[in-house]
Amino acid sequence: MITLNDKTYTCPVDVTLGFIGGKWKLLILSHLHWQEQSSYTKLRENLPGVSEKMLSQQLKELERDLLVTKNITSRKPYRVHYTLSEEGKSLAPLYEFMSGWGVGYLKKHGVDYIQDQHLYK
Amino acid sequence: MITLNDKTYTCPVDVTLGFIGGKWKLLILSHLHWQEQSSYTKLRENLPGVSEKMLSQQLKELERDLLVTKNITSRKPYRVHYTLSEEGKSLAPLYEFMSGWGVGYLKKHGVDYIQDQHLYK
DNA sequence: GCAATAACTTACCAAAAAGTAGGGAACAAT
DNA sequence: ATTGTTCCCTACTTTTTGGTAAGTTATTGC
């Protein structure tokens, strides 16, 4: 058993899962991986189905866990963009692998997936 | 949008997530990755905190999705063992990477994790 | 015959995660 | 002045997920 921030984990895989678990986190992270940066609105538009509540909640957790950095680019008209931190970038093989595996699965099963593909590599 | 088995996915990463999402699936899979095979009872013992309900439920889904193979080794005394299928093995880089990343995180933050380490690499 | 073990299943309940719908501040554009 | 845009927050409800505890079948071991 591993204890970290008052939670217990069964193994290192579980620890990693603690950071990227949840329905939207990997989607947000991998989006930022391929887009380099994104505003709140762009993220929302490019993650079909995410509610604003979920988006801001998960962004806040990703920020807290230091995987994502929030850059305030302007205060007068309040503007922001999100990027992967170094920690977040260190998960890049994950984004790449999971995308590749998903694409492989779809190909093998003859499923169309080209729509909006540029957004996800 | 990608449609697969009546569900919709936003991108290939999401598709992959569809197979390995959930609290116990990656834990089961990575356990089998390092143990090669395991009986129901051994899995239960080595995944601290998993309830029987969760274990059989997730095993059933992993079987359905063809990531895990259930091998009935004896019928008279009903005995079974679970192994990764080829599909399940094709996710090996994921188990390795996630374990490695978790270990790296723990090291960087000076957390003890050696207990039962042989079970998870 | 009786307890123990393996491999589950099932009904019921609690907790956690996610969705819905609205509000709101600050500025910009018309 | 009104509408639109960006960037959120909050209360409430629903859905999903997970936990508890008990029961089941079959077989071995004493």
Side-chain angles (χ1 to χ4, degrees), chain B residues 52-69:
Chain B
E52 305 217 20
K53 176 193 159 196
M54 276 298 107
L55 182 56
S56 59
Q57 193 175 99
Q58 308 263 1
L59 279 170
K60 209 170 280 181
E61 290 180 23
L62 289 168
E63 250 194 285
R64 179 204 61 195
D65 293 337
L66 302 176
L67 295 175
V68 157
T69 308

Side-chain angles (χ1 to χ4, degrees), chain A residues 71-96:
Chain A
N71 313 272
I72 298 168
T73 50
S74 156
R75 288 194 179 275
K76 288 312 154 63
Y78 185 63
R79 293 296 178 272
V80 136
H81 71 249
Y82 292 93
T83 49
L84 291 183
S85 69
E86 285 310 308
E87 284 277 278
K89 284 178 189 166
S90 75
L91 288 166
L94 209 76
Y95 319 138
E96 296 277 350

Side-chain angles (χ1 to χ4, degrees), chain A residues 77-121:
Chain A
Y78 185 63
R79 293 296 178 272
V80 136
H81 71 249
Y82 292 93
T83 49
L84 291 183
S85 69
E86 285 310 308
E87 284 277 278
K89 284 178 189 166
S90 75
L91 288 166
L94 209 76
Y95 319 138
E96 296 277 350
F97 181 84
M98 289 185 65
S99 183
W101 196 90
V103 167
Y105 185 91
L106 293 170
K107 275 191 186 155
K108 202 192 292 184
H109 294 77
V111 182
D112 239 31
Y113 70 98
I114 309 298
Q115 289 88 349
D116 291 334
Q117 190 199 2
H118 63 285
L119 286 172
Y120 310 104
K121 201 196 171 180

Side-chain angles (χ1 to χ4, degrees), chain B residues 8-117:
Chain B
T8 57
Y9 301 91
T10 64
C11 67
V13 171
D14 201 12
V15 170
T16 306
L17 233 31
F19 289 98
I20 60 174
K23 194 176 174 181
W24 297 104
K25 282 188 185 171
L26 264 170
L27 264 28
I28 293 171
L29 291 168
S30 64
H31 178 79
L32 291 174
H33 172 65
W34 282 301
Q35 299 306 294
E36 253 105 282
Q37 61 167 248
S38 203
S39 65
Y40 181 84
T41 305
K42 276 202 166 180
L43 273 167
R44 199 190 42 196
E45 287 169 355
N46 288 308
L47 298 177
V50 74
S51 68
E52 305 217 20
K53 176 193 159 196
M54 276 298 107
L55 182 56
S56 59
Q57 193 175 99
Q58 308 263 1
L59 279 170
K60 209 170 280 181
E61 290 180 23
L62 289 168
E63 250 194 285
R64 179 204 61 195
D65 293 337
L66 302 176
L67 295 175
V68 157
T69 308
K70 177 177 175 175
N71 312 273
I72 297 167
T73 49
S74 157
R75 288 194 180 276
K76 287 311 153 62
Y78 185 62
R79 293 295 178 274
V80 136
H81 70 249
Y82 293 92
T83 49
L84 292 183
S85 69
E86 285 310 309
E87 285 275 280
K89 285 178 188 168
S90 75
L91 288 166
L94 209 76
Y95 319 138
E96 297 277 351
F97 181 84
M98 289 186 66
S99 182
W101 196 90
V103 167
Y105 185 91
L106 294 171
K107 275 190 187 159
K108 202 192 291 185
H109 293 77
V111 182
D112 241 31
Y113 70 98
I114 309 299
Q115 289 88 348
D116 291 335
Q117 190 198 5

